[in-house]
Amino acid sequence: MLIVAIGGIIALTVRQVRDLTPSKPGAYYTTDDGKHWFKDDPQKLTPFDYGGKSAVRAHVFRGADGKEFVGYLTRHTPQAAEVIRKVQARKPTDPPPTPAEMGIAQAGREFKRPGDAEWVPLQKGAAVQKITNITAPDGSLAVEVE
């Protein structure tokens, strides 16, 4: 009887600790313009190949009604992705990235809302701000899910 009670206490303790452990960090991605999304490594450079399709970052939001939706999409330009890969593969003896390369990496993101045809570069600040200002379909304040 004592062994069963101790086993129950141990199982309950393990469950409580597991419930308090944060979930594995990740980011959301989509291959179909935000209709569906999946979680993966947040360090992935976009676009990347996922099951033969091009995946981009999906910024998932939740409205007051609890429903989740993709508010906007982001991706890296090919030039920015090249610089970022170079920096990630850099050995301590390699020269640091040049200021021009760092500028390309930092500015090399594009944005769009699901359904839009055109990607908008980060440099078009007002247009990007309009894309990233998200309201839930029910009109409530939208909060990004991470």
Side-chain angles (χ1 to χ4, degrees):
M1 183 76 161
L2 181 60
I3 294 174
V4 172
I6 292 172
I9 291 170
I10 291 171
L12 183 60
T13 302
V14 168
R15 181 175 175 209
Q16 287 174 340
V17 169
R18 188 180 63 223
D19 290 346
L20 294 174
T21 304
S23 62
K24 182 180 175 185
Y28 294 103
Y29 299 93
T30 182
T31 59
D32 60 4
D33 205 39
K35 293 177 187 78
H36 304 92
W37 56 89
F38 59 94
K39 198 171 190 179
D40 206 330
D41 181 354
Q43 299 300 317
K44 288 205 172 194
L45 294 177
T46 55
F48 63 89
D49 182 71
Y50 184 82
K53 295 181 180 179
S54 182
V56 297
R57 177 83 188 265
H59 294 266
V60 178
F61 290 81
R62 181 180 300 125
D65 62 3
K67 293 181 182 175
E68 294 182 351
F69 63 97
V70 174
Y72 65 95
L73 310 170
T74 59
R75 69 180 183 187
H76 296 93
T77 63
Q79 299 84 358
E82 181 180 327
V83 170
I84 294 168
R85 281 189 193 93
K86 179 180 170 184
V87 169
Q88 289 174 338
R90 184 178 171 269
K91 295 180 179 94
T93 56
D94 291 343
T98 66
E101 289 173 324
M102 291 307 296
I104 290 169
Q106 291 173 349
R109 287 188 23 196
E110 298 176 314
F111 300 75
K112 80 177 197 95
R113 289 220 174 154
D116 289 353
E118 300 286 325
W119 286 89
V120 177
L122 180 62
Q123 295 83 348
K124 293 191 176 182
V128 169
Q129 188 173 11
K130 185 176 177 183
I131 291 169
T132 59
N133 185 12
I134 303 299
T135 302
D138 67 1
S140 67
L141 176 66
V143 178
E144 191 163 5
V145 177
E146 285 296 334

